[in-house]
Amino acid sequence: MLRFLASRLARALLTIAMVVTFAFVVLRLSGDPALLIMSVDAPPEAIAAFRAAWGLDEPLWMQYVKYFGAIVQGDLGRSMRDGRDAIVLVTERIPATLALTLPALAIKIGIGIPAGIYAALHRNSLTDRLVMTLAVMGFTVPSFVLGLLLVLVFAVQLGWLPSGGDGTWRHAILPVVTLGIGGAAVLARFTRSAMLEVLGQPYIRTASAKGVPWRAVVRGHALPNAAIPTVTIIGFMVGSLIAGAVVVESVFSWPGVGRLLVVAVSNRDLAVVQCILLLVAATMVASNLIVDLLYGALDPRLRQARAGGAG
Amino acid sequence: MSDAVLPAVTAAPPRRRTRVPVAVAIGLGWIALMLAVALLADVISPYAYTALDLRNRLSAPVGIGGSWAHGLGTDELGRDVLSRLFHSIRMSLLIAFGATIIGAAFGTGMGFLAAHFRGWVEQAVLALVDFSASLPFLILALAVLAFFGNSLTLFVVLLGFHAWERYARIARGLAISAGAQGYAAAVRQLGARPLRVYWRHILPNIASTLIISMTLAFPEIILLESGLSFLGLGVQPPATSLGNMVGYGREYLTRAPWILLAPAFTIILTTLAISIVGDWLRDRLDPTLR
Amino acid sequence: MRAATLLEARDLVRRYVMRRGLLGRSVPVTAVAGLSLTLHRGRTLGLVGESGCGKSTTGRMVLGLEMPDAGSVAFEGRPMPPPGTAAWRALRARMQMVFQDPLGALDRRMTVAAQVAEPLDIHGVGGAAERADRVEALLRNVGLRPDQGARYPHELSGGQRQRVVLARALATSPAMLVCDEPISALDVSIQAQVMNLLVELQAEHGMALLFISHDLRAVRQVSERVAVMYLGTIVEEGEPDALLRDARHPYTQALVSAIPHPGRSDGRIVLQGDPPNPAARPSGCPFHPRCPVAVARCAQEAPVLRDHPGGRRVACHLADPAAFAEAA
């Protein structure tokens, strides 16, 4: 188990290192940031001073080493636009994003999983078909279209809710619903197929043939086993708590990390983009790690193997 | 010979012809319609998609007060929404096709490389696969796009990298199992060059799996393209795509919702149609892919 | 009468590294531990042993599909080129393999005729018309109708598929054919047909056969000589009838006694101990932990394969040729 953990951790660190390298390569390949930030007709001395200030006049490998070293020490650079620490700029946006993504996650899990289980247990029923049709719709309607349609109905036509911006909890309703519906559809579809797979297994048929009540079979055997693959996709959703709202935040002009990213990308603000990339990678990798650990807790075979190994 | 009379070969049972479900038939019909529109956009568009009609700005579609001159209405510059829609369909499908093919070719190639060379090549490919799978593609794409500026070629190539790792995984896995004990090893020991083994034997054998993966990735790429274009980071004016139309139409959401609704429903119906057809294909042809 | 030597393998050693888990320690596995064999033109050598004894690895090294870690393979007097080189590929036309699982060895997306034609295509033999004629002749040769060439592998029976594999292997008129368990995946009723076909084809085409099997009876039916393998080495070699009548190595004796014999009442020798594990080779004679007659020396010193009278070779301390000569 320790060895398993160590290899997982090594992989996670490798992924982070690759993201850092990716960010460095992409950002440095893309052209001279000095010319992008300064206007083209800026005096050469000013450009040179800018380069020196940001370390852009050093050889590339030197920049890379320094860059890597700085990140290891927790220094993620300063915004080239307003000179503040990128990490501060990004972290002060995180609460706003979480204010959307956490309730949305609750909607996804609260609606998606029960709907998927119900559809699987009543396969081919009218409800199953309805749930699956809605799930396919939820998957194929892009979030910006869904968001704008909601705005059109609830803000423009009915005037019940604000169409964008922030301030009150009422501003958050439409973006949260937009995020939640799409994710719930994906989760419902996934849970249903995981359940159906489990329900088709011989041990389920054996248990119900032995006379175990169907409810007990579902609760004791089917649900725990179907939970294993479902945890993976929930892990992915948790990992994208920070990055998952880029488009929706733009639709609703919500001042979160995603909005910041789009603006930073348009402004070519290297440090901020890198910082968000790293932050997103770190959350994804961390939630993957947690999923791996949960596997151990959920899968009785793994649990047994561990007990056997310890004893 | 001990068995001059061979037992008559029992022919494999003919593939059962099941009836195509209604939803799939409608989906196929819609896809065909979209392809026709994309191919004939220049011929069937009533106006050039950039033509201005300043006297008829923001005119409504037929049925809600508009005239037949502009069947789906016009936008803020008096450009015909129907004509723009046709050209947007062409652009979006073109990008999605290009990107899907690039992704499939690149991913399959990487998978074959990993399977052929094993060792560190395989480890490198697998590390890249892990890397791609562990980050939301939209974030990566945003970073690359904004910093490399924006050309259509770069955009298509970039979207091609969406889902490449799926093809790489499939191609590597299937090529390794074919080479370990199967037909690929048999052909190699006949003296065939690797190129022949991969091109003539392994590729045809895994083609159906790859094609199904392509039908699953295609709608995702349409959604990605339209999302990025919506954010103003994808297709740039004067060119137009479905997401781009929605993005610019958003400013007139209250006064002229038709600018936005026409492309929005086209996106939904097209991705829906391809998803339904893709799921159906997968269930019929390759039950292992789920 | 000695036929000309076609292939000579000397002191072949093949080790694999087996890894337990991602970061687990590596365990060296010796699949083949110093094995020599000679194939003569037009003759058949049978190679018998339990699964895991290294007989398939030996077959692959003899074909040059795998490089031995030590030792050498010489085909027609020249050393085997490394796999993947142009010389190696060209040599494929001269040596071919017949597989255990014919369905797995055939491409299910290609017609049978196209697959039989493939070696001709690869090695650039003849023009299109010539190739078509040759394919037809080959199909007839293995007992298939030419019209069956338009079929796909899954439309044929198991025995017919193995005939296709044989036709493909014979397309370039190879001098050597390695058959790795060619009948064990077939129905018992078909096995005899394919065995007979192999014998007929050998008589007609005159290629040498290396026949690998776990089944001593099958090997005996086709082979002029039989080599018995245990844990990567040959423990006994000789003519099949003599070997069956008078097995000298205790392992061969156990194998022979396991063949059911009508009218023979003496019990079969049941081997004690664990089945052989190539990851944990015993010291001395690899067979000694299971050997019913092992003595102290067997645990310390590995016996070498010695020539015995009558063209026999035996690797056992207790089967000393001198002792046999005295007894005889």
Side-chain angles (χ1 to χ4, degrees), chain B residues 1-3 6-7 9-10 12 181-183 186-194 196 200-201 204-205 208, chain C residues 65 89 92 96-97 99 104-110 118 121-123 143 148 151 155 163 168 193 200:
Chain B
M1 186 144 292
S2 55
D3 52 348
L6 287 168
V9 185
T10 47
Q181 75 291 58
Y183 56 92
V187 177
R188 189 155 49 240
Q189 71 84 35
L190 288 175
R193 290 167 183 279
R196 182 190 184 95
R200 289 203 47 183
H201 292 277
N205 272 281
S208 62
Chain C
L65 301 176
R89 275 200 298 271
R92 295 305 102 200
Q96 280 294 311
M97 185 162 186
F99 301 85
L106 293 169
D107 188 334
R108 56 188 69 210
R109 300 253 158 196
M110 264 194 185
E118 191 149 32
D121 203 9
I122 291 169
H123 296 285
Q148 285 172 321
R151 297 245 167 89
E155 297 172 330
R163 290 167 192 270
R168 179 173 71 178
Q193 293 180 8
E200 286 168 29

Side-chain angles (χ1 to χ4, degrees), chain B residues 107-124:
Chain B
T108 309
M110 293 297 270
F112 282 170
L113 280 182
H116 185 71
F117 290 105
R118 310 301 295 261
W120 69 268
V121 177
E122 186 177 29
Q123 292 309 315

Side-chain angles (χ1 to χ4, degrees), chain A residues 11 30 189 250 265 268 270, chain B residues 130 140 146-147 149 250 271 279:
Chain A
R11 267 182 117 80
S30 58
R189 230 178 129 169
S250 295
V265 156
R268 304 203 158 183
L270 307 190
Chain B
D130 273 2
L140 285 184
F147 284 91
R250 173 187 169 195
T271 50
D279 279 356

Side-chain angles (χ1 to χ4, degrees), chain A residues 179-191:
Chain A
L179 281 171
I181 290 180
V186 172
L187 204 53
R189 230 178 129 169
F190 197 86
T191 309

